[in-house]
């Protein structure tokens, strides 16, 4: 996986070869288009999603032509209000898929998400089956407001579900699962993977169940628990570790809420050494919950301190030299894993 | 008092919902004064004509999203007094099953009611979304929602009205301008006292109505609802009234000038309609007394049943987080 | 400490006896009044803070009479906007102390806090010395929107400081420290302590430094790490544990960002057994970071799994029966601590 | 072309800032096309008259909070082209020291400039706070800020104008209505095309101005600034213009009808002012060519220096999170 800087603005390939190797973003687009064909209650809304334009990253290009303006809605710049409107639609049984232009702007809709949508079923049985697609993550020289990974805010919030696919297949599978889920689901897509990562995507109706992590690589010496773009950095590190005779197991969480605690504890108990990696701020990030869970429930199996690598406790800096210092990568993972293996 | 084509039967219905709301409110306040309440609660005194008059303008398939002073709307739309007292008292039988407090969280989609949330002014965009679902499905239904003068200062007021206008949504927004947001008088909230003035900039109709005149509220709401139903888009209605008691049960509202209250007391919406009905020979004091009596029985009974009903089983605390 | 239900609406005592035993809320009010007397750049703003009313909880009652309308500003209901305005004032060198009517409404101002105020110094050296006073916490039958403990969102966010006093003395000392700090500080006050907790408060200029935890009770058998109202539940549990011969050390974090990692690691290394307690949702809460830190840096000293007790992963339910099930208390702490001691 | 009392010297200054902005922009676009850029950037073409005309109306102690199409304002207020190119290229010498991207984060309190943030429309409330600090300290200073047509749909637009009106703050808000928010045309953003209409509901002055006429922009801004300075409170100004290139450097803006662009091209603010200055004998083509030449040299030099300057030391990544 490269971190190509043209991560986002070109058109998405629409012709799929027989081997069904799709880019990550093409998988998102395909899942959405197919589900809109299957289910007339599914619609998309967000800034610039309609018309020939089809969204900042072109995920919905051609959608208005196929599905009509009623199902492909351009919104004014009013995230708080239009997520609220999506909640109203969802309460009436529609299934809006909301595109945030960048995940960074999800905070603008915060109250609509964490106070209204997240609590409504608990309070009065109102189901809110919307999905927010949030183009997240950095490494692409986009600066503090186009690089954020804000998932921890939502994992801490009762009533939401949170997913973060790392592969084209899961990009499709988790989006379908998210749309079909009767709850508000935040779907964090990884911009650096958009056009840089290709992989096999099953045709047709393919679902990755929410709540199931995936062992992306098996190993006995230590566990690397991660998600999103960092999966590929972890896999690259694991490859190098293997050359050094260290067999790392790599667990791709895929769903961040609800966490697959069984899978987390299984790998921790299996290897006894755990390194948790994510691009988001390490401090009080999702990795803290994973580490705490392991320290609580796999303690007796542990042979070493639970390690974490994450973003620094700063805004995401823009300049390449600073962003590289800010951001985890395969090299940093490799170094930490070697130390852990040697513990 | 404006006159519109309401049958006398309908007028008595309107009156009954208002007196039921008033009796509910007085009993609720008394209950809390006796220390039998749980948490806080909001008095409804002064708002009866708005909540009842507006809700009465809807058809059964229309959806309503009341705010925290719209007890009358909940009652009229079919939430029983017992379920509401159950909510106030945190009972399993309450609308929210003991999960949400006072008049919040009283949604019931079977009755086409969207529950209220503390955070102002989320009923507005949510109701816009409800209205958009009607356009989506080509249904001739309308969404009606409410905010206070205070809530109108929030950004959502603008975001919602702007999008509703662009999308020509079948949405009616009523601002219950009761002169205060908690302790803050209108002139500390906005420079122009007429909130309906905002409508012009959205290029939608804006109407000011006497919020203590139930038939006038009914009439303007009805007109807005029918316009929306026929594809005429959203309307902003400002109903002027006065909050006659404190913000919530604990609040003595010493910050409100007594003369102001006295002036509004003379325009009490329930008493005023009572006088109108009698003076126009639509009914007489005996029949009205009977309605009051019926309301008293209904409310007293509801309180007794709600108080006697159990709290939720603590073992159910995790239930219902997810659908 | 009792959980009296009249936590908030009566006037605050203003005459202070010679022993200077003040309620928690009187200490807040005193700190604010004294600092406004000392520093003409300090002002208060928020909903209903002005006039004879003086705020939902009466913290600023009488302030407008003393300091004038210029320094005691009633705002419309527009949290996002008025926190933004406070940021502008702060950039010009004023020190606004913003009262959120309830901590639950801090999410309404989210972007102003986490995107603008938190990042401005890192991005262009703009110092934002405001304080948000956020009346937090439950146990008082106030339901899902008047009982929240949202501190974890802010601890995860770079550029903020977060404090949470548990005693009248720290209520004063941390408020003064927060006002004098040149950064945006969120000050979580505990509503259940407002009028239920009294204690000695030093007179005059008394500061509790930001970033320093406090050993509220010393012990060797296990550590209870906590903050806010839960400190008093932990102390009550420790008392009972002592009768059973178990000596618990109780660490009051006081500052949640930056965490006093030295104090946390010291107590963990000292006792080898740690129980972390907070009222906020346990899942991905501040306790997760504390547990992860310990699992990372005190691992070799640990004799038992790191335990956490927190709120459930639900909105805070209103009904007494449900809220009691939701919320940690001395009994639950005692039970967990006994099990931990026996590990 | 409106006429107001500007000296010829001032007019040449206005022109210089506009041509400097234009030359900066053209060089920047070329740089990015050559792949020498870092991240994205926003073209300023079409916005020169607004950013320059408005900023020129301020006194040195007034505070300005520009948006992402106000390059001219940054230049006029004293941020050097080199520091701005340094920002765009992520250099240590950039205004934000490599921390923030493109024209964001370019605050400099020594120059009375508030940095822009991506999240729309936070410059508004922050500038309101700046204005409030002037009232607080009894200083005769004014805050000026900007938003796009797109940003005007955000709730902060309402919250800010409402509070500014109630507080009578010395604040001027200019909406740069360039017909599009990214790909979204005005009629999908709002029903009424005149954003200044909102002013009436806040009971503050609202003015519409030709955003391609630098002297007109200067004149209305100057009037609003002086009113604010004298205690007359806030003004909402809507400057109508057209975004002449894509939203950002990567955007070809195929969604904009070519005829629309052609119509606006004929009203190009720089060319128009050039014609005005020549036709009125204020200057001649030779002098103007010389100014352009001066701008070219300044910008070329700035680019060279910025490109040659180092990236930030990675060891400093943690510096400056806290004050
Ligand atoms: C976003 C938000 N901020 C603050 C509050 C606290 N609060 C509850 S009601 C209220 C006043 C509401 O005034 P108004 O909208 O005029 O309604 P009224 O109570 O007068 O009927 C306030 C400030 C809240 N519920 N939501
Ligand atoms: C809250 C928020 N949502 C979305 C965006 C993404 N975005 C950046 S610029 C832009 C369009 C802005 O349009 P307008 O305000 O008209 O300014 P213009 O670019 O036309 O000058 C959008 C949607 C943002 N920056 N902030
Ligand atoms: Mg009100
Ligand atoms: Mg625009």
């Amino acid at each position: 996986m490269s971190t190509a800087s043209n991560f986002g603005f070109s058109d998405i390939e629409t012709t799929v070869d027989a081997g069904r190797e799709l880019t990550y973003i093409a998988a998102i687009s395909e899942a959405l288009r197919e589900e809109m064909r299957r289910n007339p209650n599914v619609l998309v809304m967000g800034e610039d999603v309609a018309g020939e334009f089809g969204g900042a990253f072109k995920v919905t290009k051609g959608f208005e032509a196929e599905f009509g303006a009623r199902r492909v809605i351009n919104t004014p710049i009013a995230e708080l209000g239009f997520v609220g409107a999506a909640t109203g639609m969802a309460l009436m049984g529609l299934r809006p898929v909301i595109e945030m232009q960048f995940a960074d702007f999800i905070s603008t809709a915060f109250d609509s998400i964490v106070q209204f949508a997240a609590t409504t079923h608990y309070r009065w049985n109102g189901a809110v089956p919307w999905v927010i697609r949030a183009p997240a993550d950095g490494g692409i020289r986009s600066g503090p407001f186009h690089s954020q990974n804000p998932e921890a805010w939502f994992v801490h919030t009762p009533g939401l579900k949170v997913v973060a696919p790392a592969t084209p297949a899961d990009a499709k599978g988790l989006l379908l699962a998210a749309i079909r889920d009767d709850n508000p689901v935040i779907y964090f897509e990884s911009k650096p993977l958009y056009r840089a990562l290709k992989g096999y995507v099953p045709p047709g109706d393919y679902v990755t169940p929410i709540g199931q992590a995936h062992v992306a690589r098996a190993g006995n010496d230590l566990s690397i628990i991660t998600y999103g773009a960092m999966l590929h950095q972890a896999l690259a590190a694991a490859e190098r570790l293997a050359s050094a005779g260290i067999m790392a197991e790599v667990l791709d969480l895929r769903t961040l809420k609800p966490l697959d605690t069984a899978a987390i504890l299984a790998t921790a108990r299996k290897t006894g050494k755990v390194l948790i990696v994510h691009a988001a701020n390490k401090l009080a990030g999702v990795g803290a919950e994973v580490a705490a869970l392991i320290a609580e429930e796999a303690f007796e199996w542990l042979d070493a301190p639970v390690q974490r690598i994450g973003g620094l406790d700063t805004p995401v800096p823009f300049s390449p030299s600073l962003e590289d210092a800010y951001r985890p990568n395969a090299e940093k993972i490799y170094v930490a894993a070697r130390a852990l293996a040697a513990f | 008092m404006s006159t519109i084509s309401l049958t006398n039967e309908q007028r008595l219905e309107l009156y009954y919902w208002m007196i039921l709301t008033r009796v509910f409110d007085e009993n609720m306040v008394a209950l809390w004064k006796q220390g039998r309440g749980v948490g806080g609660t909001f008095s409804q005194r002064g708002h009866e004509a708005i909540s009842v008059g507006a809700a009465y303008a809807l058809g059964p398939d229309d959806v309503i999203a009341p705010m925290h002073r719209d007890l009358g709307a909940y009652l009229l739309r079919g939430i029983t007094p017992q379920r509401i007292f159950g909510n106030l008292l945190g009972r399993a039988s309450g609308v929210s099953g003991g999960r949400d407090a006072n008049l919040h969280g009283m949604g019931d989609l079977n009755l086409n009611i969207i529950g209220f949330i503390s955070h102002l002014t989320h009923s507005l965009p949510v109701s816009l979304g409800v209205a958009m679902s009607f356009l989506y499905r080509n249904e001739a239904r309308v969404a009606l929602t409410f905010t206070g003068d205070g809530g109108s200062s929030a950004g959502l007021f603008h975001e919602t009205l702007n999008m509703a206008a662009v999308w020509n949504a079948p949405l009616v927004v009523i601002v219950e301008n009761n002169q205060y947001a908690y302790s803050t008088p209108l002139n500390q909230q906005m420079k122009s006292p007429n909130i309906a003035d905002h409508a012009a900039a959205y290029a939608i109709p804006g109407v000011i109505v006497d919020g203590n005149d139930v038939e006038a509220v009914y009439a303007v709401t009805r007109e807005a609802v029918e316009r929306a139903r026929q594809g005429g888009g959203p309307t902003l209605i400002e109903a002027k009234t006065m909050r006659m008691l404190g913000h919530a049960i604990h609040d003595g509202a010493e910050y409100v000038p007594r003369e102001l209250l006295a002036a509004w007391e003379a325009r009490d919406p329930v008493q005023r309609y009572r006088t109108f009905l009698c003076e126009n020979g639509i009914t007489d004091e005996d029949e009205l007394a009977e309605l009051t009596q019926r309301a008293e029985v209904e409310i007293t009974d509801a309180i007794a049943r709600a108080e006697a009903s159990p709290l939720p089983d603590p073992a159910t605390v995790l239930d219902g987080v997810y659908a």
Side-chain angles (χ1 to χ4, degrees), chain B residues 44-60:
Chain B
Q44 307 289 317
R45 198 174 189 95
H47 282 255
E48 296 87 348
I50 301 174
S51 59
V52 168
Y56 200 72
L58 293 181

Side-chain angles (χ1 to χ4, degrees), chain A residues 107-108 111 115 148 156 281 283-284 289 296 306 308 313:
Chain A
S107 54
T108 313
D111 260 0
Q115 303 292 1
Q148 294 177 17
H156 181 57
N281 186 0
L283 188 85
E289 175 60 31
E296 217 160 351
V306 182
R308 289 179 293 159
D313 194 29

Side-chain angles (χ1 to χ4, degrees), chain B residues 107-141:
Chain B
D108 187 334
L109 291 176
N110 295 322
L111 299 173
N112 286 317
I113 297 173
I114 301 286
F116 189 64
I117 192 172
S118 236
H119 289 68
L120 303 165
T121 306
H122 287 265
S123 295
L124 268 62
V126 171
S127 298
L128 167 61
V130 169
M132 290 300 290
S133 80
F134 301 152
L135 287 188
Y136 192 92
R137 292 179 167 138
N138 242 313
E139 296 171 336
R141 298 164 72 186

